[in-house]
Amino acid sequence: VQLQASGGGSVQAGGSLKLSCAASGRFTRIISNNGLGWFRRAPGKEREFVAGISWRGGDTGYADSVKGRFAISRDNAKNTVYLQMDSLKPEDTAVYYCAVSRSSVYTTRLENVNYWGQGTQVTVSS
């Protein structure tokens, strides 16, 4: 399975970006049955959970630092997960990675991720 992330870029604080991650390859249908999510790694920091969505789409979760500003969604027909990021702050600067969990629910733990996307850079300037 290949995960292609897009939508990253450079914005000023208070701006918005929308990330997309599309799956392709032989087993993309399994993506629609698995939890999906976004993680990020800021310079000098460990990779951390940002947002997750379970396979039905009704169950979502967010890191405290992004609650109320970020929104995750998915389109199972397109094997795609999205992350709408509003009111961006300089501390949101990081490489963002989409992830497929090992089960139908999203995961907040790195070891429970089955597939990773290649990452997309988000830079927020003050």
Side-chain angles (χ1 to χ4, degrees):
V1 174
Q2 295 179 331
L3 299 173
Q4 183 68 43
S6 61
S10 298
V11 296
Q12 290 190 328
S16 298
L17 285 172
K18 185 173 183 178
L19 305 183
S20 300
C21 181
S24 62
R26 294 177 56 191
F27 304 109
T28 55
R29 288 188 63 184
I30 69 171
I31 304 304
S32 63
N33 297 323
N34 287 52
L36 302 175
W38 291 91
F39 290 70
R40 68 186 181 187
R41 184 173 62 194
K45 296 186 177 181
E46 298 293 322
R47 193 176 299 195
E48 64 177 2
F49 169 77
V50 175
I53 184 167
S54 295
W55 78 278
R56 289 184 180 273
D59 180 26
T60 59
Y62 299 90
D64 288 342
S65 59
V66 307
K67 280 181 182 177
R69 300 187 298 119
F70 290 11
I72 188 170
S73 60
R74 64 189 294 164
D75 185 336
N76 288 343
K78 296 182 179 179
N79 294 310
T80 302
V81 61
Y82 306 95
L83 185 67
Q84 177 66 46
M85 304 186 295
D86 298 320
S87 302
L88 283 161
K89 304 176 180 180
E91 50 264 43
D92 294 318
T93 295
V95 178
Y96 284 71
Y97 301 88
C98 56
V100 181
S101 71
R102 299 182 185 278
S103 72
S104 62
V105 298
Y106 69 86
T107 182
T108 63
R109 302 177 66 88
L110 301 178
E111 59 267 31
N112 291 334
V113 172
N114 204 14
Y115 301 104
W116 290 101
Q118 88 284 6
T120 184
Q121 176 71 46
V122 172
T123 302
V124 185
S125 58
S126 57

